[in-house]
Amino acid sequence: MNAVNWFEIPVHDLAKAQRFYEAVFDLKLSIMEVGPKRAAMFPMAPEAPGTSGSLMKAPGYTPSTTGTLVYFSVGDIDATLARVAANGGKQLMPKTSVGSHGFIAHFEDCEGNRVALHSRT
């Protein structure tokens, strides 16, 4: 069993953040409401490795460039960083080798969260 089974990325403007992440990662998020919480859920394939999570708009959730860092697996970091910039985010750390583990990069999303990317190539 992997140690992490869910993540939540805080947002103030859920619709704006949903458009950003859908454009950057070329996927569709689904909206869910639970009481005062509104979430945009990332797709999940239970049989696949890794985990899923959501964008979360709720009391006590504040976007930040400090704290926990979520890494998204991507096929092409440079192409993903280009989509980040084209959709209102900014690169914080360029594609960087982590040796035999592949490559990583960091960006700031449209809400002010620091988020990371990982690829094997």
Side-chain angles (χ1 to χ4, degrees), residues 1-5:
M1 178 185 306
N2 291 314
V4 176
N5 71 356

Side-chain angles (χ1 to χ4, degrees), residues 6-9 11 14-15 18 22 28-44 52-59 61:
W6 188 255
F7 65 84
E8 295 175 344
I9 299 173
V11 301
L14 186 61
Q18 179 181 1
E22 287 179 342
K28 182 74 177 151
L29 281 68
S30 57
I31 300 297
M32 183 178 90
E33 294 188 38
V34 179
K37 296 181 178 183
R38 293 194 68 232
M41 315 282 281
F42 287 90
M44 183 173 159
S52 190
S54 68
L55 305 176
M56 184 65 71
K57 178 180 174 58
Y61 283 72

Side-chain angles (χ1 to χ4, degrees), residues 23-25 74-87 95 117:
V24 167
F25 294 112
V74 297
D76 184 337
I77 285 180
D78 293 322
T80 305
L81 287 173
R83 289 191 301 274
V84 164
N87 287 282
K95 182 177 179 181
L117 304 171

Side-chain angles (χ1 to χ4, degrees), residues 9-10 16 34-35 39 46-47 66-67 74 76 79 83 92 96 98 106 112:
I9 299 173
K16 177 182 173 185
V34 179
E47 68 285 349
T66 60
V74 297
D76 184 337
R83 289 191 301 274
L92 299 176
T96 303
V98 287
H106 295 181

